Every structure is written in C-alpha cells, then in structure tokens.
Amino acid sequence: MKKYALLTLLGTLILSISCGDATKDSNPLEMVLASEKPTIKRVMDSIDRYEVQIRYTQIDRHNDSVLFTDYDFQVSDDRYFYPASTVKFPTAVLALEKLNQIDTLNQDTRFYVEGDSVETTFANAVSKIFAVSDNNANNRLVEFLGQNAINESLLKKGITPVRISHRLGYHTDDVTTKPLIIYLNDSTTATTRPTINSEPKPLALERIQKGIGYYADDSLMTEPFDFSLKNYYPVSAQHGLIKRVVFPEQFNEEERFDLSTKQRDFLLSAMHTLPKEVGYDPEEYYDGYCKFFLFGDTKENIPEQIKIYNKVGFAYGTLTDCAYITDSKNEIDFFLTATILVNKDGVFNDDQYEYDEVGIPFLAELGRQLYAYELQRKK
C-alpha cells in the first residue's frame, strides 16, 4: 500500500504546476524553483549560501531522432563544488571499457589488490559503487585504471573539464597505483604493473576555498578549507557522461565509451538497481538511500514503473546527484544533475551538515516538481 500511496502523491504533484504556465517559452527550472514548497523556498531565499547548481534536460523524440533541451541554474565550470562519490561513475564506466579492450579479462574476472585481503570481481565492484556508493570498490578500480588514464580518457571523449586526483574514503598523497592480482583461471594469476600518475596541481577556481574553518587531527583551524588539490568534476562533465551512457548513438564515435552490448546492459542495470535487490538490508539501505531525486527524503519503496539511473555523492556538506529518470507507465524520461552545499556553521570536517534537514529534502522536491512538470508537458 505504501508504494501506491507514493504513486498517488507523485501524481497529485501535477496540480502544483498549472498547465497555463507550461508554455513553450517558459523556463521550467525557473518555474519549479519559484515554488512555495518550504523545502525549495528556504534554499532559494538564501541561495548564495547553498551554492546550488542545476542542469535539467528535456528529451523529445521525432521518428528516429532524439532532441535534448538543456535548462541551467547557476551552472558554472569555474565555480567549484566537491564532487564526492559522483567521480565513481566515470571510474566504473572506464573500468568496463578497459576490460572490453583486454581479451583475457571480463567483468566477471576475479581479482584483489596487492596487500588487500578482499577478493572480488569487476562486476561486483561496479554493482557496489552504484548500489551503496562503496568507497573501497571505487578505489580498487582506480588502482586498475590510474588517475592519468581516467583523466585522459574523459578528455578524449570531450567530457571536460575533469580532474581526478585522489582515492575516496581516506587521504593519501600516493600517486602510484597498487598492483592487481588477477585470476586468469582457477590456477593461474597475473599481476598488473603499478602506474605512476601526475602530482595534482592546485585548481584556480571560484570558491575553491570554503567556509571559515576546518578540523585537522582533532584541532580546529580557523581558516577556509582549501579544496584545490581535490577531485574536480563539474555539472557539465557529469551531465555529458550520463548522456553518453544512456544515449550513445547521439554522439560521435570518438565521444562514446567502447562498451559491448552486454557491458552497457550491465552498467545500466547497476545504475538503477536498488540496494535490497543485491542483498543489502532494506532497513539500513532503503530505496532512496542513493536516489536523492524524488525519493531521497522518504523510506517508502520506489514504484516499479519508475527507474532512476544515477550516481550520488555526499561529503564535506555537499550533496550531488546525476540522474536519468524514467517512468515507463507515463512515458516520461529526463536528465537531472544538481548539487547543493549544506554547511551552516562554515566549518568542515566537524560532521555538522544539514543533509537530512535541508539538502536531501531540496533535491527530492526538485525531482518531484520536475517529474510533475514532465507529466503534463506537451511532447
């Protein structure tokens, strides 16, 4: 019954947007962000504090053609936000692409990182990245690829600007990847060679230093937190990557990922699969755990007709979601990427962030409002 109640709630959202406002020339993002919904209004009333950036893409079809129409709110490659776990998306895609180019390996090949006791498969690592945003799974694939290869591959495909400089979940200045021990069969293994990657150079971007202080080794430093050596993956790059994964045929061959049909099907499945569907405890890892848009602020089940292909990130008070949202019953699909900073006290590493109070409710309502708009949009 909870599932159907949630469907009814989504359906009634259409009433909050009048059909008369949804004109051809109107900007749907402006309309949605002007909502009187408290979860949106409180952010918009103090918009500079929250560093919001949003890109929404309408998808229209005519015969065999697909047309994208982008709408932006404060999107800027020059204005930095910390991408957190969203960088796991390109790592997962590029790991599959590399496997496709090595005859002796595939996504089900077993491996472990030298010095690590955990044995896994490439498919399992990708699945964990999307289901619960597992840091260790991501880092194992970074060891397989190397930061330089990630950055260079994305650049060649026109996914810019991007700079992946470090692993996730722990800090290390080590630019050398660790060897992987790969099982070629039950009795034969091979060891990959470490790669030495470039030392990251400080980024020169707007708002690269944030806040008024941060904690380091349990001590409060009364100066802005410097993000200049951290990962950089802006909205435009995130949006460009997910478009290439979902609609590869809309891009030139050199801009696409070299994935087999089996790999792409697996990747898309992993992107929308819910934690409970791969064995995680549904109480702890509820449907909206890594699905901020529409369902992030509820523990209700996501209706079967709705699939959200996405990758979220949350760290240092920044929440980001990059998603392709579909509703098979109502024939709706659209792209949405958004980020918001929720750090009221301006201090980083103090674990005092308004994720549940402000950030996730804003992203969830943003998704619901755009879903409602799509329900009544003329196509």
Side-chain angles (χ1 to χ4, degrees), residues 18-39:
S18 70
C19 292
D21 288 337
T23 63
K24 181 179 179 181
D25 296 325
S26 64
N27 184 323
L29 261 186
E30 290 180 0
M31 186 166 52
V32 164
L33 293 174
S35 169
E36 290 298 315
K37 291 281 185 178
T39 49

Side-chain angles (χ1 to χ4, degrees), residues 39-57:
T39 49
I40 289 182
K41 192 175 187 306
R42 67 184 167 197
V43 170
M44 296 306 295
D45 285 349
S46 303
I47 193 61
D48 188 61
R49 176 204 301 175
Y50 294 109
E51 300 188 11
V52 173
Q53 296 188 42
I54 306 168
R55 176 165 291 175
Y56 154 63
T57 299

Side-chain angles (χ1 to χ4, degrees), residues 221-234:
M221 307 297 173
T222 56
E223 61 188 29
F225 190 69
D226 185 1
F227 286 86
S228 64
L229 294 178
K230 294 195 176 295
N231 293 331
Y232 169 50
Y233 186 35

Side-chain angles (χ1 to χ4, degrees), residues 132-356:
V132 294
S133 200
D134 188 278
N135 285 334
N136 291 327
N138 171 79
N139 295 340
R140 292 180 185 114
L141 297 185
V142 170
E143 307 298 351
F144 177 56
L145 293 165
Q147 295 94 312
N148 283 3
I150 294 172
N151 295 325
E152 290 165 6
S153 296
L154 295 175
L155 176 62
K156 289 178 181 178
K157 290 175 171 57
I159 300 172
T160 61
V162 180
R163 198 277 300 277
I164 307 303
S165 61
H166 61 86
R167 301 163 182 82
L168 298 174
Y170 62 93
H171 179 78
T172 174
D173 293 323
D174 190 358
V175 296
T176 302
T177 61
K178 299 176 182 177
L180 265 61
I181 313 302
I182 297 175
Y183 290 87
L184 300 180
N185 53 50
D186 289 341
S187 60
T188 306
T189 62
T191 304
T192 62
R193 294 180 179 179
T195 60
I196 301 175
N197 298 273
S198 303
E199 293 276 357
K201 296 179 180 179
L203 298 166
L205 297 167
E206 298 173 21
R207 303 194 177 188
I208 197 68
Q209 296 190 359
K210 299 182 183 294
I212 59 173
Y214 63 94
Y215 277 90
D217 299 324
D218 297 324
S219 298
L220 177 61
M221 307 297 173
T222 56
E223 61 188 29
F225 190 69
D226 185 1
F227 286 86
S228 64
L229 294 178
K230 294 195 176 295
N231 293 331
Y232 169 50
Y233 186 35
V235 166
S236 61
Q238 295 193 29
H239 218 69
L241 188 145
I242 197 170
K243 280 182 177 179
R244 284 163 173 78
V245 168
V246 178
F247 290 98
E249 67 280 357
Q250 297 303 305
F251 295 86
N252 297 326
E253 188 172 351
E254 62 271 17
E255 295 178 312
R256 304 175 191 173
F257 293 98
D258 181 18
L259 302 177
S260 68
T261 300
K262 178 182 177 181
Q263 285 178 319
R264 181 170 173 272
D265 289 345
F266 165 71
L267 175 62
L268 290 171
S269 177
M271 288 171 64
H272 76 71
T273 296
L274 302 173
K276 65 187 179 187
E277 296 169 342
V278 286
Y280 288 94
D281 179 3
E283 291 297 319
E284 181 178 1
Y285 298 102
Y286 47 92
D287 285 9
Y289 179 78
C290 283
K291 309 289 182 189
F292 294 160
F293 296 135
L294 280 79
F295 301 100
D297 59 351
T298 177
K299 292 190 176 181
E300 305 288 358
N301 292 337
I302 296 178
E304 292 181 5
Q305 72 189 52
I306 296 177
K307 286 185 169 56
I308 302 175
Y309 303 76
N310 75 315
K311 185 68 198 81
V312 301
F314 50 102
Y316 294 118
T318 301
L319 290 155
T320 306
D321 198 346
C322 174
Y324 170 61
I325 299 169
T326 70
D327 179 337
S328 58
K329 180 180 179 180
N330 292 294
E331 298 184 345
I332 288 172
D333 64 338
F334 62 97
F335 290 104
L336 181 60
T337 302
T339 185
I340 181 172
L341 173 66
V342 285
N343 187 14
K344 186 177 180 180
D345 65 10
V347 177
F348 290 87
N349 282 338
D350 64 352
D351 292 328
Q352 300 299 310
Y353 306 122
E354 299 74 48
Y355 291 141
D356 295 330

